[in-house]
Amino acid sequence: MRYRELGRTGWKVSEVSFGAWAIGSAWGRVDDNESMAALNRAIDLGVNFIDTADVYGAGHSERLVARLKKERRETIYVATKAGRRLSPHTADGYNRQNLRTFIEDSLRNLETDCLDLLQLHCPPIEVYYQPEVFGALDDLAKEGKIRYYGVSVEKVEEALKAIEFPGVQTIQLIFNMFRTRPAELFFPEAQRRRVGILARVPLASGMLAGKMTSQSAFEADDHRNYNRHGEKFDVGETFSGVDFETALAAVEELRAIVPAGATLAQLALRWILMFEAVTCAIPGAKRPSQAEDNARASDLPPLTEVQMAKAREVYDTYIRKLVHQRW
Ligand SMILES: NC(=O)c1ccc[n+]([C@@H]2O[C@H](COP(=O)([O-])OP(=O)(O)OC[C@H]3O[C@@H](n4cnc5c(N)ncnc54)[C@H](OP(=O)(O)O)[C@@H]3O)[C@@H](O)[C@H]2O)c1
């Protein structure tokens, strides 16, 4: 496993880290023993950073991470999120009092007295124009409730606005072979300001693992069933916003550039790591075998110019017109 500096935090985090949404909720049936085994396997292989949120199974994901931290002696940085418990999810809900309540609940779930990294969870656009929200986070940091804070965003423009606030240490956004626009304007600006970048949905919800077919079916409580068209949350979070059949066709073309002995999932992760502005990819994993497959992507040699050019060509041919100007 290789490590990268996370913004100005002084932390060195595993370039392939762990996304803990699926072990909490919204991805069909999961087994806590398997989830714990997946987390443990990741730590065995050098992963030291986990992304979770208060809403992933109403604290369940956070509680599994707390269990992991009790079982392991290694340093494990935990990023969680706040805001999505608001219903309705409105900008005025991102006030000092609610943020404190959400943070106190996460502190309890994670069994700690200070959160390593607290991210606003894809807040409404107005929040980026309310400096008092970021002021409240500065105060919570001074108070010792949170060590650092960042923002999980939907759009490049939100990322650019968020990093104008000097306290923002990290931006989490979708970046993968089906979502390349962040590399154009945002990455150079984030590097200039030394802001860490967490690349989420790196496997386009498992699509880029290359295991799906037009017959693939998903359980009723899996967002790949119920959010195909953005029925519950931003459609970009499900298969990266690419329609299923187009995604399958693009994946078929990508098989040609999978490095010898590697998996398609590893190609997808290694592609992300080719961008030095990215601190880490945070693939979700429900089983130890997935955690292992993903962590080992860090050991692959850099992709060649030919592989990168083919990935670009597939994006330009299949994906660009569907997503490029949407997020
Ligand atoms: N708004 C936000 O802030 C937000 C939104 C989305 C995600 N996130 C964060 O980003 C993380 C990653 O995104 P994501 O979980 O949505 O999508 P993802 O990482 O692209 O896909 C994860 C899913 O792909 C499958 N998979 C993983 N590794 C695999 C492998 N090696 N081979 C085959 N299949 C594999 C698993 O599901 P199956 O086995 O069921 O196929 C897994 O749950 C989340 O866990 C969460 O921490 C944050």
Side-chain angles (χ1 to χ4, degrees), residues 120-252:
L120 300 180
H121 200 164
C122 295
I125 184 89
E126 298 79 27
V127 166
Y128 298 90
Y129 297 87
Q130 293 172 349
E132 60 276 20
V133 174
F134 298 86
L137 293 174
D138 286 329
D139 291 344
L140 285 156
K142 276 190 209 116
E143 221 185 291
K145 296 285 180 191
I146 60 178
R147 182 88 177 85
Y148 295 115
Y149 66 85
V151 191
S152 182
V153 308
E154 297 289 5
K155 296 178 197 295
V156 167
E157 287 65 29
E158 293 166 347
L160 286 165
K161 183 67 174 105
I163 63 174
E164 286 186 29
F165 295 98
V168 170
Q169 290 279 358
T170 59
I171 292 293
Q172 179 181 139
L173 40 56
I174 299 182
F175 181 65
N176 60 41
M177 288 200 286
F178 288 174
R179 184 74 71 88
T180 67
R181 188 168 160 259
E184 293 176 1
L185 262 182
F186 174 64
F187 283 6
E189 193 54 26
Q191 269 184 304
R192 197 173 71 77
R193 295 177 190 254
R194 295 186 59 215
V195 170
I197 296 177
L198 314 179
R200 79 166 178 265
V201 196
L203 303 175
S205 314
M207 172 59 76
L208 285 168
K211 61 188 179 176
M212 292 175 193
T213 70
S214 42
Q215 268 73 53
S216 296
F218 302 94
E219 293 172 61
D221 58 346
D222 186 327
H223 71 99
R224 293 171 295 185
N225 178 331
Y226 67 74
N227 196 52
R228 278 286 179 93
H229 309 286
E231 293 90 334
K232 282 278 193 272
F233 43 81
D234 194 295
V235 67
E237 306 295 348
T238 303
F239 300 127
S240 206
V242 181
D243 73 270
F244 198 73
E245 295 301 325
T246 305
L248 286 176
V251 164
E252 277 319 301

Side-chain angles (χ1 to χ4, degrees), residues 11 54 62 78-83 99 102-103 106 115-121 137 140 145-152 169-170:
W11 302 344
D54 55 357
E62 289 182 326
V78 180
T80 192
K81 312 189 194 79
L99 286 171
F102 299 149
I103 287 169
S106 286
L115 299 177
D116 295 333
L117 178 68
L118 186 271
Q119 303 160 97
L120 300 180
H121 200 164
L137 293 174
L140 285 156
K145 296 285 180 191
I146 60 178
R147 182 88 177 85
Y148 295 115
Y149 66 85
V151 191
S152 182
Q169 290 279 358
T170 59

